[in-house]
Each structure stands twice: as C-alpha cells, then as structure tokens.
Amino acid sequence: MARKQDRDPVLRDRLVELKESTGMNWRRFAEYFDIPYRTVQDWGRGERVMPEYLLRLMEYKIRMENLDTYAD
C-alpha cells in the first residue's frame, strides 16, 4: 500500500492535542504507551496514519489515569 503524507489530518490533530493535554514531550509520550518513538513521531508529523481504534484507547487511558490535567 502506498503511503500518502497526511492522509488523515483529523487523527493527527487529535493525537497532538492528546499529547499536549498530558504535558509530555513526544519521547515520554511514546515511552508511556510503549510505542516506538519513531512511530509516534511519524504519526504526529502526518507521515503515517495511526489506527483510529488505537487513538481511542490512548484517549481512554489518559482519561482514566487522570493525566489530562494540562487540558484547558
């Protein structure tokens, strides 16, 4: 399957907002979810599309562990 840059900017934007809501940097965010840093970096840049179900699980985990304390 050919890669298209920024195939889903909505998912990318949601990921960036989620990361920012935690106050973590990209490296710490990747470590927290035990996902390779390069993968998370590619998702954040829109170079790869992350699975939507994974983003939903990440959002859920952040909410359940009250890590979104930096959210407005």
Side-chain angles (χ1 to χ4, degrees):
M1 176 162 44
R3 285 177 25 183
K4 290 183 186 175
Q5 184 153 347
D6 220 4
R7 285 188 282 184
D8 197 338
V10 173
L11 286 178
R12 185 202 64 223
D13 291 348
R14 283 176 52 197
L15 177 67
V16 171
E17 288 173 13
L18 180 64
K19 193 252 333 157
E20 289 174 354
S21 77
T22 67
M24 295 181 198
N25 63 34
W26 283 113
R27 184 161 306 278
R28 178 66 188 113
F29 190 76
E31 289 171 357
Y32 176 76
F33 287 106
D34 197 27
I35 299 171
Y37 173 66
R38 181 60 187 244
T39 300
V40 173
Q41 195 177 39
D42 287 350
W43 291 340
R45 291 179 180 157
E47 294 173 6
R48 293 175 66 185
V49 177
M50 72 179 304
E52 186 175 4
Y53 78 89
L54 182 56
L55 180 60
R56 288 193 313 264
L57 287 170
M58 293 167 80
E59 290 169 335
Y60 179 79
K61 180 176 172 111
I62 293 294
R63 275 196 318 274
M64 292 299 106
E65 295 187 1
N66 294 316
L67 293 176
D68 55 352
T69 58
Y70 295 96
D72 293 333

